[in-house]
Amino acid sequence: MADVRARIASRACPPGTRLPSVRAQAQAMKLSVSTVLEAYERLSAEGVLTSRRGAGFYVAGTVAPLALAAIGPKLDREVDPLWVSRQSLETDDATLKPGCGWMPTSWMYEEGVRRALRAAARADGSELTEYGPPLGLPSLRQHLSRRLAANGIDAPPAQIMLTDSGTQAIDLICRFLLEPGDTVLVDDPCYFNFHALLKAHRVTAIGVPYTPTGPDVEAFRAALEAHRPRLYITNSGIHNPTGAVLSPVVAHRVLKLAEGHGLTIVEDDIFADFESAPAPRLAAFDGLERVIHIGSFSKSISASMRCGFIAARADWMEALTDLKIATTFGGGRLAASIMLSVLTDSGYRRHMEAVRQRLAEHTATTIARLKPLGITPWLVPQAGMFLWCRLPTGVEAAPVARRCLQDGVVLAPGDAFSLSRSAGNFLRFNVAQTDDARIFTVLSRALAQAG
Amino acid sequence: MADVRARIASRACPPGTRLPSVRAQAQAMKLSVSTVLEAYERLSAEGVLTSRRGAGFYVAGTVAPLALAAIGPKLDREVDPLWVSRQSLETDDATLKPGCGWMPTSWMYEEGVRRALRAAARADGSELTEYGPPLGLPSLRQHLSRRLAANGIDAPPAQIMLTDSGTQAIDLICRFLLEPGDTVLVDDPCYFNFHALLKAHRVTAIGVPYTPTGPDVEAFRAALEAHRPRLYITNSGIHNPTGAVLSPVVAHRVLKLAEGHGLTIVEDDIFADFESAPAPRLAAFDGLERVIHIGSFSKSISASMRCGFIAARADWMEALTDLKIATTFGGGRLAASIMLSVLTDSGYRRHMEAVRQRLAEHTATTIARLKPLGITPWLVPQAGMFLWCRLPTGVEAAPVARRCLQDGVVLAPGDAFSLSRSAGNFLRFNVAQTDDARIFTVLSRALAQAG
């Protein structure tokens, strides 16, 4: 019985496997036929096996499905990427969310989205009901091509494919380039959902320390040599969670190292529209040779309509399109069309200017409000909504986050972003979500309890 | 040189691999150091290797990405699922598409979709710009729960998760339950994109012949015993491409066999709203124990807004949600809200009644128009848009499809749906797409050339 159980647990005998006949098993194990038969029948009574008349005994049950929560080290809920994502996504208007990764509704370009929806309601019928073409709405791809050119990225529309989101864009690239067991570099800290996404691909993520000007080049080199990764996923513009910006020198060095090691880089540029001065883009330096550039409109226009894109080398577009169709069929044509309406609306540019101004003001205010609590920014970001902050010495962010959550304040503790769990006394603040004074009262109380 | 090349081609030495030193290699191959060095340098000059000063020689280049088109047997374009999908998705209004899998815009509930969009333009701001909750819009999940109950499927809202499409729903389930190398049963013939999707998961698809009342039970049993599949993917309601309907007896037998073999079944119910009399559902018989029920609104409401759903056993919902968030983050809240508006619009029910009536009429007309061409239906379907037809004896569908495409008519040749390529003289017609008389003229001419 123990032998059969062990083989089932190790998945050497998956469900549906026919076990050796009683006679064969008895012979192999040098046991009597009746002993083996009794063992099989007891296991059948327990539901481990099923027997079919005249056909022998089979392994019962269903296969253990892929549970991301069971992969990797067991983490405290507060720093578990899966739980942090869920916590932000649960809609409860009473909760304050200084830890969440997007702006409140009141900061978004609501009137522009409404206008685009009204226009969509009058659109051609095919736009309302039919699948989009394989690469996605041509007019949005043309528009994106021009936008990318403004950032020095040369991507003709034929090298741009629309996806259903930025996350789906990275997911598609992972499917395209990775095999289970491969290694992928990420920044430490980085956007926490990268950790969850890479788990889903059953690859090993390795963190490279992030500095105020990009990844630590020496650590990057050492990681390339030690782990031979296939992919590096990063943000060049406004880095999540630190708000740092890649410097041209680091961009150059990273690309040189990547070239030497046959490494492909995914540059997630989701915060492009929040920049006050454009940061160097790896895709611009590289010319989309080994850099895949992705983006979406979830942070700037709407996360409620799903639309993202991939810009990649020409010879990869066919296979990427096949993979997209196989796994999602046609893309969301209407969402693409609404994004295009908003992007080309004259009010959008003005709106984003106002948002950038407002974010700059809120960054200053939030820093000032955190100071009396002994919370200091690692870096004062040039732009964006994120403030990566150090707590007073010796204070751990996870228990602080737990206490604040009890009082209805969702924080983002540093270790959720850190593969090495070396950001235990950091918190990421979203300055667009810190208007309510209660956040600072609750936080202050939680810190006092921690001290 | 040949030795190094072979190791690279076999992926034994992936890009970035450091080759043995010149000295070690010379010793191992019993060659002089200078011979090995020359070989390495020539390979470097060719770009196969790169050398780094003081650090030796490395395999250059990027990894071969996943090209679905390169997996499996090389097929004629006309019967290649990837190509057939693309062909239908390319938007060109001049093309006639009797082979396509959806209704023309003019048959869709356009006014209802427009009304829903206008309502959406007046919705609460958070609905327009924020991510949806992890499982998806609660009110749509409640509505779906009631709809499923009407078909005998007991799925409380907590067991329903929204996805971005029906295809994405199946894709998520494949990720959840399959590992590369697993085996999956599909119907032969079946919806061709299942073949492409399973390729993307690097699993082996095995076809089970489909009969007018469901899968051939004896072949199903034999496939279970021979291949120990993890999953079976099927349509119970209106089967694509045959239009057949599962019988209660076959449903019972399939479920009994599945139980005995620990098999999970995905029931894709995308055509539910087209049924005139409800077909037996595997999920209803089984009670969502080993059946996962999925659906979407692409065929009935809109394919331009992406929304689908999964109904599955309660203890799988957590892990499925984690997987969805990791790979797509929040779902499309606005699409879900628009689907709900349309589904609960009093006009929708009347519209679908009219569509069903119109499809029944067009089924009769199309059969009558195909008859003089010697094309006969395998089965006269009770409902739906598909007509699975046999060509005159000896006529192959693929070359006919090729000729018709030259004349601007896209057909769906049988072997695109058949894993065993045993449907070479079948075509699938969509009766909603056969109004234009030119289709029959073009087809007649192509058949005459084939004869």
Side-chain angles (χ1 to χ4, degrees):
Chain A
M1 280 175 73
D3 177 72
V4 172
R5 265 192 239 275
R7 274 189 283 158
I8 293 171
S10 72
R11 285 191 79 164
C13 289
T17 310
R18 189 178 189 279
L19 290 186
S21 72
V22 172
R23 197 171 304 273
Q25 184 80 334
Q27 223 159 12
M29 300 187 78
K30 300 201 194 309
L31 294 167
S32 76
V33 167
S34 64
T35 306
V36 172
L37 185 61
E38 202 191 315
Y40 277 15
E41 281 174 346
R42 275 204 220 165
L43 287 168
S44 301
E46 287 178 21
V48 176
L49 300 181
T50 54
S51 64
R52 268 164 267 159
R53 208 169 351 134
F57 290 85
Y58 290 77
V59 177
T62 47
V63 177
L66 176 65
L68 297 186
I71 299 175
K74 182 87 194 116
L75 299 172
D76 281 347
R77 231 170 48 155
E78 285 71 23
V79 297
D80 178 347
L82 297 166
W83 193 81
V84 174
S85 297
R86 290 247 199 148
Q87 205 51 38
S88 306
L89 290 171
E90 291 293 352
T91 44
D92 171 4
D93 292 340
T95 309
L96 299 170
K97 297 184 173 179
C100 115
W102 50 90
M103 300 195 298
T105 305
S106 59
W107 286 56
M108 302 294 279
Y109 188 39
E110 220 183 287
E111 76 201 67
V113 173
R114 287 186 200 282
R115 189 156 44 231
L117 275 167
R118 285 193 301 267
R122 297 185 302 266
D124 188 61
S126 61
E127 193 171 309
L128 301 183
T129 62
E130 292 209 7
Y131 291 99
L135 280 177
L137 196 70
S139 46
L140 179 55
R141 293 189 292 109
Q142 272 152 24
H143 179 83
L144 288 172
S145 176
R146 285 194 298 270
R147 264 163 60 102
L148 291 173
N151 274 340
I153 300 165
D154 180 23
Q159 278 174 251
I160 298 174
M161 180 174 85
L162 302 187
T163 63
D164 284 338
S165 65
T167 307
Q168 198 226 338
I170 304 183
D171 184 48
L172 211 53
I173 293 162
C174 286
R175 291 181 143 181
F176 183 58
L177 293 175
L178 300 180
E179 295 190 2
D182 280 349
T183 297
V184 175
L185 298 187
V186 293
D187 298 319
D188 189 344
C190 74
Y191 172 43
F192 49 76
N193 202 49
F194 291 164
H195 301 157
L197 178 63
L198 292 173
K199 268 190 188 185
H201 286 274
R202 309 182 202 205
V203 298
T204 306
I206 301 280
V208 175
Y210 208 75
T211 80
T213 54
D216 178 313
V217 175
E218 272 319 302
F220 191 79
R221 179 200 312 273
L224 286 180
E225 277 161 15
H227 304 290
R228 294 197 278 110
R230 293 272 165 89
L231 213 59
Y232 168 47
I233 306 180
T234 190
N235 316 118
S236 310
I238 299 166
H239 181 257
N240 184 358
T242 64
V245 169
L246 185 70
S247 81
V249 170
V250 174
H252 168 72
R253 292 194 183 155
V254 162
L255 283 169
K256 252 187 78 180
L257 287 168
E259 194 184 340
H261 288 78
L263 178 79
T264 301
I265 299 177
V266 177
E267 178 172 60
D268 177 2
D269 204 23
I270 190 171
F271 296 106
D273 283 2
F274 291 89
E275 283 182 319
S276 33
R281 295 297 197 282
L282 291 168
F285 278 56
D286 169 68
L288 292 182
E289 262 303 302
R290 60 180 61 257
V291 175
I292 304 175
H293 190 81
I294 72 139
S296 96
F297 313 98
S298 301
K299 309 295 183 183
S300 48
I301 299 177
S302 170
S304 159
M305 284 166 272
R306 310 302 287 151
C307 190
F309 65 90
I310 295 175
R313 42 195 285 182
D315 60 342
W316 281 356
M317 297 314 292
E318 276 289 307
L320 275 171
T321 309
D322 281 345
L323 206 49
K324 173 179 127 169
I325 294 176
T327 57
T328 70
F329 212 64
R333 186 169 172 178
L334 196 79
S337 155
I338 288 173
M339 295 306 161
L340 181 64
S341 290
V342 175
L343 288 168
T344 54
D345 176 334
S346 63
Y348 177 67
R349 192 178 287 264
R350 277 201 312 277
H351 168 80
M352 284 309 295
E353 259 165 42
V355 164
R356 287 192 291 270
Q357 180 58 34
R358 203 171 168 191
L359 283 172
E361 288 159 16
H362 274 66
T363 298
T365 323
T366 307
I367 291 174
R369 290 170 99 174
L370 289 171
K371 200 177 171 194
L373 305 181
I375 301 176
T376 48
W378 179 72
L379 168 141
V380 178
Q382 294 172 22
M385 62 188 88
F386 297 132
L387 210 49
W388 181 239
C389 291
R390 206 187 294 273
L391 297 184
T393 314
V395 175
E396 283 295 307
V400 169
R402 196 176 310 134
R403 269 181 229 116
C404 288
L405 187 63
Q406 285 163 6
D407 292 328
V409 175
V410 179
L411 295 176
D415 273 354
F417 303 86
S418 168
L419 210 52
S420 63
R421 313 288 156 212
S422 57
N425 82 322
F426 279 83
L427 282 173
R428 184 193 71 183
F429 286 92
N430 178 344
V431 302
Q433 300 267 9
T434 56
D435 272 352
D436 197 312
R438 194 158 65 82
I439 291 167
F440 300 91
T441 322
V442 165
L443 186 56
S444 165
R445 199 161 53 217
L447 286 170
Q449 284 176 6
Chain B
M1 279 175 75
D3 177 72
V4 171
R5 266 191 237 277
R7 274 189 284 158
I8 293 171
S10 72
R11 285 191 80 163
C13 289
T17 309
R18 189 180 190 280
L19 290 187
S21 72
V22 172
R23 198 170 303 273
Q25 184 80 332
Q27 221 158 16
M29 299 187 79
K30 301 202 193 309
L31 295 168
S32 76
V33 167
S34 65
T35 307
V36 172
L37 185 61
E38 201 192 317
Y40 278 14
E41 280 174 347
R42 276 205 219 165
L43 287 167
S44 300
E46 288 179 20
V48 175
L49 301 181
T50 55
S51 64
R52 269 165 263 160
R53 207 172 349 135
F57 291 85
Y58 290 78
V59 178
T62 46
V63 177
L66 177 65
L68 297 186
I71 300 176
K74 183 84 195 121
L75 300 172
D76 280 348
R77 233 170 46 155
E78 286 70 23
V79 297
D80 179 347
L82 297 167
W83 194 81
V84 174
S85 297
R86 290 248 197 145
Q87 206 50 39
S88 307
L89 289 171
E90 292 292 353
T91 44
D92 170 4
D93 292 341
T95 309
L96 299 169
K97 297 184 175 180
C100 118
W102 50 90
M103 302 195 297
T105 305
S106 59
W107 285 55
M108 303 294 280
Y109 187 40
E110 220 182 285
E111 76 200 68
V113 172
R114 287 187 201 280
R115 190 157 41 233
L117 275 167
R118 285 193 301 266
R122 295 184 303 266
D124 189 61
S126 61
E127 194 172 307
L128 301 183
T129 62
E130 292 209 6
Y131 291 99
L135 280 176
L137 196 70
S139 46
L140 179 55
R141 293 189 291 109
Q142 272 153 24
H143 179 82
L144 287 172
S145 176
R146 286 193 298 272
R147 265 163 59 102
L148 291 173
N151 274 341
I153 299 165
D154 180 23
Q159 278 175 252
I160 298 174
M161 180 173 84
L162 303 187
T163 63
D164 283 338
S165 66
T167 307
Q168 198 226 338
I170 305 183
D171 183 49
L172 211 51
I173 293 162
C174 286
R175 291 180 144 184
F176 184 58
L177 293 175
L178 300 180
E179 294 188 3
D182 280 349
T183 298
V184 174
L185 298 187
V186 292
D187 299 318
D188 189 344
C190 73
Y191 172 42
F192 49 77
N193 202 48
F194 291 164
H195 301 156
L197 178 64
L198 293 173
K199 268 190 188 183
H201 287 274
R202 309 181 201 206
V203 298
T204 307
I206 300 282
V208 175
Y210 209 74
T211 81
T213 54
D216 178 313
V217 174
E218 272 320 302
F220 191 79
R221 181 201 310 276
L224 286 179
E225 278 162 15
H227 304 289
R228 295 196 276 109
R230 292 272 163 90
L231 214 59
Y232 167 48
I233 305 179
T234 189
N235 316 118
S236 309
I238 299 166
H239 181 257
N240 184 359
T242 64
V245 168
L246 185 71
S247 82
V249 170
V250 173
H252 167 72
R253 291 192 185 156
V254 163
L255 283 169
K256 252 185 79 179
L257 286 169
E259 194 184 343
H261 288 79
L263 178 79
T264 301
I265 299 177
V266 177
E267 179 172 60
D268 177 3
D269 205 23
I270 189 171
F271 296 106
D273 283 3
F274 291 89
E275 283 182 319
S276 35
R281 295 299 196 282
L282 290 168
F285 277 56
D286 169 68
L288 291 183
E289 262 303 302
R290 61 179 60 256
V291 175
I292 303 175
H293 190 81
I294 71 138
S296 97
F297 314 98
S298 302
K299 309 296 183 184
S300 48
I301 299 177
S302 170
S304 160
M305 283 166 273
R306 310 302 286 150
C307 188
F309 66 90
I310 295 176
R313 41 194 286 183
D315 60 343
W316 281 355
M317 298 314 291
E318 277 287 307
L320 275 171
T321 308
D322 281 344
L323 205 49
K324 173 179 127 168
I325 294 176
T327 57
T328 70
F329 211 63
R333 186 168 170 178
L334 196 79
S337 154
I338 289 173
M339 295 306 162
L340 181 64
S341 290
V342 175
L343 288 168
T344 53
D345 176 334
S346 62
Y348 176 67
R349 191 179 288 265
R350 277 201 311 279
H351 167 80
M352 284 310 296
E353 259 166 41
V355 164
R356 287 192 291 270
Q357 179 59 36
R358 204 171 167 191
L359 283 172
E361 288 159 16
H362 273 66
T363 298
T365 322
T366 307
I367 292 174
R369 291 171 98 174
L370 290 171
K371 201 177 169 194
L373 307 181
I375 301 177
T376 49
W378 178 73
L379 167 141
V380 178
Q382 293 171 23
M385 62 188 88
F386 297 131
L387 210 49
W388 181 239
C389 292
R390 205 187 294 272
L391 297 184
T393 314
V395 175
E396 283 294 308
V400 169
R402 198 176 308 134
R403 271 181 229 116
C404 288
L405 186 63
Q406 284 163 7
D407 292 330
V409 175
V410 178
L411 295 176
D415 273 353
F417 304 85
S418 169
L419 211 51
S420 63
R421 313 287 156 210
S422 57
N425 82 322
F426 279 83
L427 282 172
R428 184 193 71 182
F429 286 93
N430 178 344
V431 302
Q433 299 268 12
T434 56
D435 270 353
D436 196 311
R438 194 158 67 82
I439 291 168
F440 300 90
T441 321
V442 166
L443 186 56
S444 165
R445 199 161 53 216
L447 286 170
Q449 284 176 8

